[in-house]
Amino acid sequence: MTKFSIAIHGGAGTILKKDMTPELEAEYRNALKQALDAGYAVLENGGAALNAVKAAVVMMEDNVLFNAGKGSVFTKKGLNEMDAAIMDGSTLNAGAVAGVRNIRNPVELAEEVMLHSGHVFLSGKGANDFAIKQGIKLEPDEYFYSEYRYDQWREIRDSDLYKLDHKSDKLIGLMKDKKFGTVGAVACDGNGTVAAATSTGGMTNKRYGRIGDSPMIGVGTYANNKTCAISCTGHGEIFIKAVAAYDVSCLMEYKNFSLQQACEEVVLKKLVHLQGEGGLIGVDAKGNTALVFNSAGMYRGFKNSDGENGIAIYGN
Ligand code: ASP
């Protein structure tokens, strides 16, 4: 049996201690711990990496603190449109959804796409129709309402600005924010199989059916037993141009980089060069984990069967 391990993120960006109250920090830490424990419990009971990442992501989708599922941000039209993906590194089977509405747990719908649609990636109304057919849990619009997200949206809904979660006074191009609340998990189970999952509400005030990197296989989410499993968070448009997750895998496959080296190459060099702020988490098939970001902070945690674990928010 290999070492088993899990890593999670709850978004990266301008997350600074000075902007955080002790109470809110405790809430985030607690939420990360719950998600980590839920995923780790699956691995400890001999479960598959795929089920571990799903369990961790579902936990965060159900928590209003994160920009995924319940806490998803509002679009230009005042709706919640969510993206998610899941991938199994042993088979390269993958499922993804984009722009889905009223789905309680988009990661579960992504898995359903993988298992029962005959396709990999479904979007919009078609994906919602598939969810209804498969009996996926739905929620009314009110379930996705939170005052915090609504106020974020109200502030900019009459402008062309779009915003990457939480509040910040910084402007990047059209964006008026630099925090990314997407959630994700990667895991390696006792059989040395890796898996990744990512889920997001995308960006406040997004329009025209904008889709970010999170649900794109090889960009925000990727898993391959030969190399690693990766889940990203950050400025989606740049992560798409960098083909971020698959790039980490390629550096390991073709250049023999270690997981940590490959993650650093992509996040600290390539993405920095492209001005792509954010980070990613990774695991290899030996159970090693890497949590790398080029932003001020990233909500994150890891736990493995060697008894090592940690939860952190800010940079060093
Ligand atoms: N990467 C996500 C997107 O661009 C945002 C995030 O990570 O919070 O949709």
Side-chain angles (χ1 to χ4, degrees):
M1 196 190 234
T2 29
K3 169 166 92 180
F4 51 87
S5 58
I6 180 162
I8 60 168
H9 71 74
T14 318
I15 306 164
L16 300 169
K17 199 167 176 78
K18 70 174 177 60
D19 298 333
M20 190 80 89
T21 62
E23 294 75 28
L24 189 58
E25 182 172 331
E27 273 185 56
Y28 270 109
R29 285 182 174 275
N30 189 36
L32 290 168
K33 184 174 181 321
Q34 279 179 5
L36 204 54
D37 288 349
Y40 190 77
V42 173
L43 299 174
E44 213 172 19
N45 291 325
L50 194 81
N51 291 331
V53 295
K54 189 175 60 174
V57 168
V58 161
M59 208 70 167
M60 292 187 280
E61 286 178 337
D62 287 346
N63 192 321
V64 75
L65 285 178
F66 302 106
N67 172 20
K70 188 172 173 55
S72 290
V73 297
F74 287 87
T75 66
K76 180 86 180 162
K77 291 186 174 164
L79 307 172
N80 309 100
E81 293 177 354
M82 300 167 285
D83 306 333
I86 193 162
M87 185 162 186
D88 181 343
S90 64
T91 55
L92 302 183
N93 284 341
V97 291
V100 294
R101 300 197 49 216
N102 303 97
I103 305 295
R104 184 184 174 106
N105 294 110
V107 72
E108 289 185 349
L109 180 56
E111 187 190 31
E112 198 66 15
V113 169
M114 173 175 96
L115 297 175
H116 301 298
S117 74
H119 301 294
V120 170
F121 203 166
L122 302 184
S123 72
K125 185 172 182 315
N128 268 87
D129 289 347
F130 177 70
I132 292 165
K133 179 170 162 281
Q134 298 302 113
I136 290 286
K137 267 175 284 169
L138 300 175
E139 296 290 352
D141 288 351
E142 303 80 72
Y143 172 82
F144 300 92
Y145 173 84
S146 65
E147 206 181 331
Y148 174 59
R149 303 287 185 212
Y150 191 80
D151 289 347
Q152 278 183 328
W153 171 64
R154 218 175 34 182
E155 233 178 74
I156 58 168
R157 69 181 170 192
D158 297 326
S159 72
D160 285 340
L161 298 172
Y162 60 97
K163 201 172 183 183
L164 280 145
D165 202 35
H166 305 305
K167 58 174 182 284
S168 162
D169 48 11
K170 296 202 176 153
L171 275 159
I172 358 173
L174 276 180
M175 287 187 301
K176 194 182 174 264
D177 202 299
K178 293 181 88 179
K179 287 187 186 174
F180 316 94
T182 292
V183 307
V186 294
C188 173
D189 63 30
N191 296 322
T193 279
V194 299
T198 312
S199 182
T200 187
M203 303 197 307
T204 296
N205 219 31
K206 68 183 180 182
R207 55 183 173 164
Y208 309 129
R210 181 264 183 190
I211 300 166
D213 60 308
S214 310
M216 294 185 187
I217 300 304
V219 180
T221 307
Y222 187 68
N224 185 341
N225 276 8
K226 268 174 43 184
T227 54
C228 59
I230 301 290
S231 171
C232 300
T233 175
H235 185 184
E237 279 67 13
I238 315 287
F239 279 63
I240 293 171
K241 293 181 197 174
V243 200
Y246 187 60
D247 210 34
V248 174
S249 175
C250 286
L251 287 168
M252 295 176 69
E253 184 170 359
Y254 304 124
K255 292 272 188 194
N256 281 319
F257 278 42
S258 70
L259 174 73
Q260 184 71 32
Q261 283 172 331
C263 291
E264 288 181 6
E265 182 74 23
V266 172
V267 176
L268 304 182
K269 292 188 185 161
K270 186 174 185 177
L271 283 167
V272 167
H273 182 69
L274 295 168
Q275 294 182 317
E277 184 173 354
L280 54 77
I281 53 171
V283 65
D284 66 19
K286 293 196 184 87
N288 300 308
T289 50
L291 302 92
V292 181
F293 53 99
N294 61 33
S295 44
M298 179 166 82
Y299 296 106
R300 61 198 187 277
F302 79 100
K303 190 167 182 171
N304 67 36
S305 54
D306 284 350
E308 296 161 335
N309 62 79
I311 285 173
I313 299 178
Y314 314 108
N316 294 324

